[in-house]
Amino acid sequence: MVFGAFAPVMSAFGQTSEDTLSVNDFQIQEVEVTAQRVEQKTVSSAIVRSDDLNRDNTGQNLPYLLSTTPGLQVTSDDGLGVGYTYFRIRGTDHSRINMTVNDVPLNDSESQGVFWVNMTDVSSSLSQIEVQRGVGTSTNGSASFGASLNMQSGNRDTVSNVTLAFNGGMYNTFRELVSTHVVLPGHWMANARFSKVNSDGFLYHSTSDLYSYYGDFGWYGKKTQVIARLFGGSERTAQAWEGVDYNTAYGIGGADRRTNPADSLNWDTYAQQHAQIAIHHRFSPNWSLSATLHYTHGKGNYEQYKKKKYSYWGLSDSGKSYGFYQKWLDNHFAGAVVSAKYISEPVDAQMGIAANDYIGNHWGVLDYLATPSATSLPFHYEYYRNKSNKVDANIYGKVNWRVINRAQEKLAIYADLQYRFIRYSMRGLSDDSMKELPFDKNFHFFNPKAGLTYQNKGHLLSGSFAIANREPNRANYTENIYYDQATDSYVGKMPEAERLYDYELGYSYAHKRFNIGFNLYFMDYDNQLVLTGEYNDVGQYKTMNVKDSYRMGAELSAAVKITKWFRWEGNMVISRNKIQNYKQYINLYDDQDNWNWVGKDSIEGDVTIAFSPMITAMSLFTFDVAGFVGTIQTNVVGRQYLDNTMDKNAMLKAFTTTNVHLEYNLPMKKWCAERRGVPEMKVLCQLNNIFDAHFASNGGAEASRFADGSRCAWYYAQAGINVHAGFVVKW
């Protein structure tokens, strides 16, 4: 069992920090060349193993399976976590969280987010995830402004096996999985998996039809590994991103919480494929080299039937009409990742370089207008097209020097330097302004990090300082500026790159029966792009630069082994998240029926950052006896504002959810003692939100207020109690 922030210190009861030192204790397995990592031990990082990751896996997307992570918030459009799913750590949204698979960037180069519906059930093919809160160590891809997720895939079991899994539950939610691990003569291994997930969703018309696959084939010699991987998936989801009013979201006055304003004709369709070829070679007990080539292709569209101004489709006619239109994208992402590592008793060192190239094609087509336009339009009329190119390269070096390296006492100094270059360009017609967007931007970022750790008989003290820089994403540009050909200049406020100064100080103590710890952080931002609460027509939140802002907090964690079969773990985060000297104008209207503009008001001063609760907490009880495993997990999320005005009329209420997981490993070997090839079999039941809490975990608000003080705000209702059950067979 992984204990949240303490996983690097204690991976199981009875194991002290000295037992779990991996790279620092210079342990190199015959076929584990890739396991060598040069990193500083900190209290703010955790390793989640495959068994713990998939314990509650009944088809929800990966963020829901990381719900024991301190400071993590999860939400989904469909209310169940099967469709579009998003998460935040320390109040930072997923587009500012760096995510890699086998050290290859997973974040989309333009939106900088990860869309889990494109790779449903990916957790079933992961061996572990390292979660680093804060800036973390140098990695490939976009900057880490809240956390980083380093995912490793594959199965290295020495015995072949086949697994079948099925579960079904409320709202017609079903997950089917078949996977196999094959050990072949001559150091060859292969893995394959196919998953299918379907759900009607908690909200009406929020159907998800998803599948994903994973396969690898590798040769694992004593000094060399060569692995080819192919994985991906496809999604077709009905849209549920429009939100509902407060009363509907919380079921006040008998309102139907499952209401979805989106028409069932509106769908998203997208498919994505990833290919990787990795080579790892150990030249000596000290030196190793890793190189990976990768390619990702994605293509899909979303469609809508909405009333829009003719100018929205680039038409000169005046007035509005209902139209059926599609927005397409077709992107290609390719690159190489190379790193060399030196590992010895006193010093570990690593140097790496990576280069990636992204090409994104965007276009829109109009298939139908309810009111004929004065202009004759061909079928499948293309009303905009643009193309983006982004080159992202970095080089880094990091070293971990153990100044003191005794059996019970260790003192290490850590340094990490990274240079990152980005060239981003766009050409064509913008779908936001319907104007040309000749755009070219270069970024040069220097990201230094330094830290110190001291370990002594189960005690771990760590401190670090890091600087991270991050470029704006595509929407930051297209929604805030456009190019004026007449003046040969950009109109609007050009978004600026963000910079983060991250200070971390942590302490933990690991005992055979318990562990405790805390981590203090102060994240000081320059030009942070904060969420405004407003969002565009595809449900993506708009942002704006603020000069001075910060996030500071205390992360507390504890775990105790009460008996051999009963244990508890928990964490709590208390934080303060502020924008300094903030000013925002609010439009004033008479009422929500007439929308007559009556003036403006302004918000000034220090304000709380949107979507940043002051308190989050988690408690997990685990029972494990005689083949029966049960968990009771409770998550608490404090109230959070929908924008930066600190208005209680645009706020998510605090909520508490409790999930219960039950599973029983059938004693098949006992029942079939005289037979060979007896499979392992377990039955399971997952009960989510057992107290049927009526809550909303996401929402938004327009920068406007009515005379009675109310706001135009919307909310995303999440499911009440829902039950899922199934079985897993492995032989």
Side-chain angles (χ1 to χ4, degrees):
M1 177 62 62
V2 176
F3 298 110
F6 297 98
V9 183
M10 181 176 176
S11 63
F13 281 110
Q15 292 183 319
T16 65
S17 57
E18 287 79 14
D19 294 322
T20 58
L21 294 177
S22 54
V23 106
N24 291 347
D25 271 356
F26 187 38
Q27 298 175 353
I28 301 178
Q29 303 298 324
E30 179 175 316
V31 295
E32 289 292 342
V33 178
T34 59
Q36 305 173 33
R37 298 183 69 86
V38 178
E39 294 181 350
Q40 179 200 23
K41 284 183 174 293
T42 67
V43 179
S44 59
S45 64
I47 294 178
V48 185
R49 308 293 181 184
S50 176
D51 289 345
D52 295 305
L53 183 66
N54 289 289
R55 180 193 62 205
D56 302 337
N57 185 2
T58 56
Q60 291 179 308
N61 283 308
L62 180 64
Y64 280 84
L65 307 182
L66 296 172
S67 57
T68 59
T69 301
L72 182 137
Q73 306 161 247
V74 187
T75 187
S76 66
D77 286 355
D78 71 343
L80 279 179
V82 178
Y84 277 91
T85 302
Y86 316 94
F87 70 107
R88 303 184 183 96
I89 296 180
R90 292 184 177 177
T92 302
D93 73 281
H94 72 288
S95 70
R96 288 162 176 76
I97 295 174
N98 175 276
M99 289 171 265
T100 60
V101 177
N102 305 311
D103 296 324
V104 173
L106 186 60
N107 299 71
D108 179 78
S109 293
E110 290 199 277
S111 71
Q112 300 188 22
V114 172
F115 300 96
W116 300 104
V117 288
N118 301 330
M119 46 198 311
T120 184
D121 204 27
V122 64
S123 61
S124 295
S125 293
L126 298 180
S127 57
Q128 68 175 42
I129 300 180
E130 181 182 14
V131 183
Q132 292 183 319
R133 302 188 302 282
V135 171
T137 59
S138 287
T139 186
N140 301 304
S142 60
S144 172
F145 261 49
S148 59
L149 270 60
N150 305 313
M151 293 168 266
Q152 298 295 321
S153 69
N155 182 350
R156 301 291 180 266
D157 287 349
T158 57
V159 179
S160 298
N161 57 71
V162 175
T163 300
L164 296 176
F166 170 83
N167 61 259
M170 295 176 64
Y171 308 110
N172 286 323
T173 302
F174 297 97
R175 166 180 172 260
E176 303 92 24
L177 172 146
V178 56
S179 67
T180 182
H181 171 67
V182 181
V183 180
L184 300 169
H187 303 289
W188 291 92
M189 288 186 184
N191 293 287
R193 174 190 60 83
F194 180 84
S195 298
K196 188 76 172 69
V197 178
N198 294 84
S199 176
D200 286 349
F202 169 66
L203 300 184
Y204 301 125
H205 312 309
S206 61
T207 302
S208 297
D209 184 4
L210 320 173
Y211 75 80
S212 74
Y213 58 88
Y214 174 88
D216 68 39
F217 186 63
W219 184 76
Y220 301 86
K222 291 183 178 181
K223 293 186 177 182
T224 305
Q225 298 179 4
V226 181
I227 310 167
R229 305 181 181 97
L230 182 67
F231 59 97
S234 177
E235 61 96 356
R236 178 173 167 80
T237 57
Q239 294 167 15
W241 61 48
E242 293 190 7
V244 294
D245 61 64
Y246 181 90
N247 289 343
T248 303
Y250 289 99
I252 297 174
D256 189 351
R257 299 184 65 244
R258 299 187 64 191
T259 300
N260 177 11
D263 193 292
S264 59
L265 294 176
N266 298 336
W267 293 88
D268 288 358
T269 305
Y270 193 81
Q272 192 174 70
Q273 301 85 35
H274 304 257
Q276 300 176 357
I277 298 178
I279 301 175
H280 313 285
H281 181 72
R282 190 172 73 242
F283 296 96
S284 70
N286 304 101
W287 284 99
S288 65
L289 179 71
S290 298
T292 301
L293 296 175
H294 65 87
Y295 170 73
T296 300
H297 175 242
K299 185 176 182 180
N301 72 85
Y302 80 87
E303 55 192 30
Q304 286 192 313
Y305 180 73
K306 275 194 170 184
K307 191 174 185 179
K308 295 284 187 180
K309 292 181 179 180
Y310 282 110
S311 58
Y312 183 86
W313 298 296
L315 304 176
S316 58
D317 303 56
S318 60
K320 295 183 178 181
S321 176
Y322 279 95
F324 184 80
Y325 59 97
Q326 296 177 339
K327 289 188 174 182
W328 284 82
L329 63 87
D330 183 359
N331 50 43
H332 305 264
F333 178 64
V337 177
V338 181
S339 66
K341 304 171 188 176
Y342 173 80
I343 299 178
S344 67
E345 189 71 18
V347 176
D348 304 333
Q350 179 174 342
M351 185 175 72
I353 186 170
N356 305 299
D357 187 31
Y358 170 91
I359 298 174
N361 298 290
H362 306 257
W363 71 96
V365 294
L366 176 62
D367 283 338
Y368 171 78
L369 274 177
T371 303
S373 170
T375 305
S376 178
L377 298 178
F379 176 72
H380 224 52
Y381 169 71
E382 184 176 295
Y383 64 96
Y384 79 89
R385 178 177 287 269
N386 59 71
K387 183 176 182 179
S388 302
N389 178 239
K390 187 174 184 179
V391 175
D392 185 342
N394 74 81
I395 184 170
Y396 67 87
K398 49 188 177 183
V399 61
N400 192 33
W401 174 34
R402 287 173 288 280
V403 181
I404 299 175
N405 193 24
R406 304 189 184 103
Q408 296 294 327
E409 184 182 26
K410 301 178 188 295
L411 174 65
I413 299 174
Y414 183 86
D416 184 339
L417 303 176
Q418 183 197 55
Y419 165 72
R420 183 167 175 246
F421 168 75
I422 301 103
R423 186 183 70 223
Y424 188 31
S425 63
M426 288 185 275
R427 295 289 185 273
L429 197 65
S430 170
D431 59 316
D432 288 294
S433 64
M434 298 307 296
K435 297 180 182 293
E436 293 292 331
L437 40 73
F439 176 84
D440 294 278
K441 193 76 172 179
N442 292 338
F443 298 93
H444 300 270
F445 294 143
F446 176 59
N447 303 313
K449 307 170 184 68
L452 181 146
T453 61
Y454 177 73
Q455 295 174 265
N456 191 353
K457 298 181 180 179
H459 299 273
L460 171 64
L461 179 67
S462 65
S464 65
F465 170 72
I467 299 176
N469 296 272
R470 178 185 176 276
E471 74 280 11
N473 64 27
R474 174 188 174 87
N476 297 146
Y477 290 112
T478 59
E479 293 177 356
N480 290 287
I481 63 170
Y482 67 88
Y483 179 72
D484 188 343
Q485 292 180 320
T487 61
D488 190 26
S489 62
Y490 292 104
V491 178
K493 188 173 183 179
M494 180 73 72
E496 300 181 48
E498 306 169 86
R499 175 168 292 180
L500 167 61
Y501 302 89
D502 183 23
Y503 305 82
E504 307 265 345
L505 177 64
Y507 166 78
S508 67
Y509 174 67
H511 186 269
K512 290 182 178 180
R513 297 293 298 247
F514 69 92
N515 60 31
I516 57 173
F518 68 86
N519 186 68
L520 305 177
Y521 65 88
F522 180 71
M523 305 171 74
D524 187 17
Y525 295 87
D526 185 19
N527 287 323
Q528 182 182 186
L529 281 160
V530 299
L531 300 176
T532 65
E534 297 180 278
Y535 74 121
N536 60 22
D537 65 341
V538 297
Q540 295 177 331
Y541 283 92
K542 295 184 178 182
T543 59
M544 62 179 292
N545 285 110
V546 293
K547 179 59 180 174
D548 298 309
S549 59
Y550 65 86
R551 300 181 186 274
M552 62 184 296
E555 300 168 327
L556 312 174
S557 296
V560 59
K561 180 181 179 181
I562 301 171
T563 68
K564 290 183 178 180
W565 51 269
F566 179 37
R567 55 187 180 270
W568 172 85
E569 62 180 290
N571 61 63
M572 181 171 66
V573 180
I574 303 173
S575 65
R576 180 180 173 89
N577 311 275
K578 292 291 184 178
I579 305 172
Q580 298 169 286
N581 303 313
Y582 181 72
K583 186 172 184 178
Q584 180 177 338
Y585 289 100
I586 303 292
N587 287 309
L588 303 177
Y589 297 92
D590 55 356
D591 55 59
Q592 296 195 43
D593 294 326
N594 298 307
W595 282 82
N596 293 316
W597 186 80
V598 296
K600 282 191 174 184
D601 195 3
S602 64
I603 303 296
E604 298 184 52
D606 294 355
V607 300
T608 298
I609 303 175
F611 303 103
S612 301
M614 186 177 72
I615 295 177
T616 61
M618 186 281 301
S619 170
L620 177 65
F621 291 96
T622 302
F623 306 81
D624 189 347
V625 57
F628 171 79
V629 178
T631 64
I632 303 174
Q633 180 175 332
T634 299
N635 286 79
V636 178
V637 178
R639 70 179 188 180
Q640 47 193 309
Y641 297 108
L642 297 177
D643 61 9
N644 303 310
T645 64
M646 297 179 62
D647 189 340
K648 292 184 178 180
N649 291 316
M651 183 183 73
L652 295 174
K653 294 167 55 178
F655 60 90
T656 300
T657 58
T658 299
N659 301 338
V660 174
H661 176 80
L662 305 171
E663 67 177 57
Y664 180 62
N665 293 281
L666 301 176
M668 300 298 294
K669 292 183 179 180
K670 181 179 179 180
W671 292 348
C672 308
E674 298 181 358
R675 298 183 181 180
R676 296 182 179 181
V678 177
E680 300 176 16
M681 181 178 295
K682 69 178 179 181
V683 292
L684 57 91
C685 181
Q686 179 74 24
L687 300 92
N688 298 318
N689 194 5
I690 61 171
F691 297 115
D692 198 29
H694 289 188
F695 72 101
S697 56
N698 205 2
E702 290 189 0
S704 58
R705 182 185 296 124
F706 300 100
D708 61 0
S710 62
R711 296 285 303 276
C712 181
W714 54 93
Y715 304 80
Y716 295 93
Q718 303 297 291
I721 184 171
N722 57 99
V723 181
H724 308 265
F727 63 85
V728 179
V729 181
K730 181 178 179 180
W731 66 89

